[in-house]
Amino acid sequence: MHKITLIPGDGVGPEITEVVTSILEATGVEFQWDIQDAGEDVYVQEGTPLPQRVIDSIKKNKVAIKGPVTTPVGKGFRSVNVTLRQELDLYCCLRPCKTFKGLDLKYDNIDIIIVRENNEDLYAGIEFERGKAETLELINFINSKTRKSIRIDSGISLKPISVYGTERIVTFAFDYARKHNRRKVTAVHKANIMKHSDGLFLEVARGVANKYPDIEFEDRIIDNMCMQLVQKPELYDVLVLPNLYGDIVSDLAAGLIGGLGLAPGANLGEQFAVFEATHGSAPKYKGLNKMNPIAMTLSGVMMLRHLGENQAAERLEKAIAEVIQEGVYLTYDLKPSNSSNAASTTQMGVEVIRKLNNVA
Ligand code: NAD
């Protein structure tokens, strides 16, 4: 019996989570779900979107699976997702992007692993609001110490990237590559412009790469990387990126394999692991029972492997592949546009369970 913290999230999170937990239970693995609500509604009821009880539950159970949580744009509470990653030191966001057979896609052989640094960079949450006394103090300091002139009506977000943080994320990428027989790690950066943050990232990455002579290493500047991924994604294997580029490239790579409905992920640290899809809470689809449950289910497959339930993980992955290849019970995002016979979230989940019961 695995005791797991279950965070249904908000937006489309709860309806997807309900389907995903029934799929995970259908593998035969036994779970005891410690359900912890977080997000918009919790903010209204409890005055915080991420009560301490949620963090305590993950600290106790060590493993969590979570639905997406909304973050207000430009104002309001801080991201629950970012806070969780920082509080639990989940320094690595691992996002495999692999094409399933049977989909009508521009590419049919994508197999890219994204290793995103999860705590530093512009996501650190160190921000100075326009007009505040401390912001003006910072601007005065910068203007007096550099030959730059920051306008006093500026807002400022800081981008810290450390040797410590870079060493451990790049080491994670190389260890992952070695363990999973991958041939190459590509470090992604903008070191030509941001010499002391991305430049440091690249320098440290090169140093780590020297310790892994069996694995090829190369680097790409982020803008070129985006173009290369669209033009010749088959050249890429494991990508390691600072936080913001990792966030953006994750969605780009999801687009290559058929969309966010198929892109899973895991937030990993030394002590805790939180499994969640790459996608967000897609609020406009809330309550429609039409979103693809596979991204979160595949995050569940990653969780099963983390728990040592490898056979169940393989069976579930095979069941998902069969449902997709058959092409009948697919949610709208995987159907040709204007298709009127898309399956609902629930129907696709039921079909995965039906296949799971037939998979040897
Ligand atoms: P989103 O990922 O929620 O949705 C973008 C679009 O992708 C949707 O409109 C839909 O077309 C498609 N999509 C997403 N998930 C899908 C699924 N399961 N099946 C089919 N199609 C799917 O991105 P957004 O609209 O930019 O963000 C909405 C909210 O989610 C924001 O508040 C954002 O901060 C938050 N967010 C949370 C997380 C997280 O909880 N880890 C991650 C990303 C965004």
Side-chain angles (χ1 to χ4, degrees), residues 201-320:
F201 185 86
L202 178 58
E203 185 193 325
V204 172
R206 284 184 175 141
V208 174
N210 285 336
K211 298 183 202 153
Y212 295 81
D214 48 319
I215 294 160
E216 196 186 326
F217 175 73
E218 65 182 11
D219 70 277
R220 291 282 179 277
I221 293 178
I222 179 66
D223 34 357
N224 177 31
M225 183 80 248
C226 291
M227 188 213 54
Q228 298 262 330
L229 280 174
V230 172
Q231 274 203 323
K232 25 190 170 171
E234 68 283 355
L235 294 185
Y236 295 94
D237 190 355
V238 177
L239 306 183
V240 61
L241 313 93
N243 208 335
L244 182 65
Y245 308 145
D247 175 55
I248 297 167
V249 169
S250 293
D251 275 38
L252 192 161
L256 301 176
I257 59 162
L260 283 166
L262 296 174
N267 299 291
L268 305 169
E270 305 292 344
Q271 299 185 65
F272 312 111
V274 176
F275 296 84
E276 65 174 337
T278 297
H279 67 74
S281 57
K284 70 178 175 189
Y285 293 99
K286 181 180 172 176
L288 302 182
N289 191 25
K290 70 180 275 188
M291 299 311 266
N292 190 337
I294 297 303
M296 188 172 171
T297 308
L298 287 170
S299 310
V301 170
M302 294 173 81
M303 181 179 81
L304 286 169
R305 292 214 165 92
H306 179 85
L307 296 170
E309 301 284 0
N310 294 327
Q311 263 190 352
E314 251 147 67
R315 281 176 54 236
L316 178 50
E317 211 166 29
K318 211 165 151 203
I320 293 168

Side-chain angles (χ1 to χ4, degrees), residues 22-293:
S22 59
I23 294 173
L24 288 172
E25 285 165 6
T27 62
V29 174
E30 286 186 23
F31 297 101
Q32 188 186 341
W33 305 115
D34 179 0
I35 301 174
Q36 295 290 338
D37 289 321
E40 274 185 322
D41 296 344
V42 173
Y43 179 67
V44 175
Q45 288 152 14
E46 302 184 37
T48 166
L50 182 63
Q52 187 59 35
R53 59 175 168 74
V54 183
I55 292 166
D56 291 345
S57 163
I58 302 174
K59 284 190 172 163
K60 186 162 57 92
N61 299 323
K62 312 272 189 250
V63 179
I65 184 160
K66 98 174 243 308
V69 173
T70 305
T71 308
V73 176
K75 54 183 167 41
F77 58 79
R78 272 199 72 203
S79 164
V80 166
N81 311 305
V82 173
T83 311
L84 262 184
R85 293 165 194 167
Q86 290 179 348
E87 287 273 324
L88 298 168
D89 196 19
L90 302 168
Y91 69 91
C92 172
C93 186
L94 179 65
R95 290 172 162 172
C97 280
K98 195 166 171 15
T99 25
F100 281 98
K101 288 200 179 75
L103 295 171
D104 183 19
L105 301 172
K106 293 190 178 67
Y107 314 92
D108 54 14
N109 57 350
I110 308 285
D111 185 4
I112 292 171
I113 305 292
I114 291 174
V115 177
R116 165 187 175 189
E117 199 289 321
N118 226 10
N119 282 344
E120 302 196 313
D121 193 2
L122 283 161
Y123 266 74
I126 309 167
E127 300 206 285
F128 293 85
E129 191 179 334
R130 171 179 63 93
K132 283 269 172 78
E134 59 268 29
T135 313
L136 297 175
E137 202 180 322
L138 179 64
I139 290 173
N140 284 336
F141 174 79
I142 293 169
N143 288 351
S144 68
K145 297 287 175 195
T146 67
R147 273 181 286 147
K148 307 282 177 196
S149 171
I150 299 181
R151 299 184 62 92
I152 58 160
D153 58 352
S154 302
I156 297 179
S157 303
L158 294 188
K159 178 181 162 106
I161 291 190
S162 69
V163 171
Y164 173 81
T166 306
E167 239 165 34
R168 66 177 180 165
I169 196 64
V170 179
T171 300
F172 182 100
F174 274 97
D175 284 344
Y176 182 95
R178 202 176 255 176
K179 189 166 168 209
H180 295 87
N181 295 319
R182 315 287 303 211
R183 69 197 152 81
K184 181 169 79 171
V185 172
T186 306
V188 186
H189 60 86
K190 187 86 184 172
N192 49 333
I193 304 299
M194 283 160 279
K195 298 181 195 295
H196 300 302
S197 48
D198 286 25
L200 180 148
F201 185 86
L202 178 58
E203 185 193 325
V204 172
R206 284 184 175 141
V208 174
N210 285 336
K211 298 183 202 153
Y212 295 81
D214 48 319
I215 294 160
E216 196 186 326
F217 175 73
E218 65 182 11
D219 70 277
R220 291 282 179 277
I221 293 178
I222 179 66
D223 34 357
N224 177 31
M225 183 80 248
C226 291
M227 188 213 54
Q228 298 262 330
L229 280 174
V230 172
Q231 274 203 323
K232 25 190 170 171
E234 68 283 355
L235 294 185
Y236 295 94
D237 190 355
V238 177
L239 306 183
V240 61
L241 313 93
N243 208 335
L244 182 65
Y245 308 145
D247 175 55
I248 297 167
V249 169
S250 293
D251 275 38
L252 192 161
L256 301 176
I257 59 162
L260 283 166
L262 296 174
N267 299 291
L268 305 169
E270 305 292 344
Q271 299 185 65
F272 312 111
V274 176
F275 296 84
E276 65 174 337
T278 297
H279 67 74
S281 57
K284 70 178 175 189
Y285 293 99
K286 181 180 172 176
L288 302 182
N289 191 25
K290 70 180 275 188
M291 299 311 266
N292 190 337

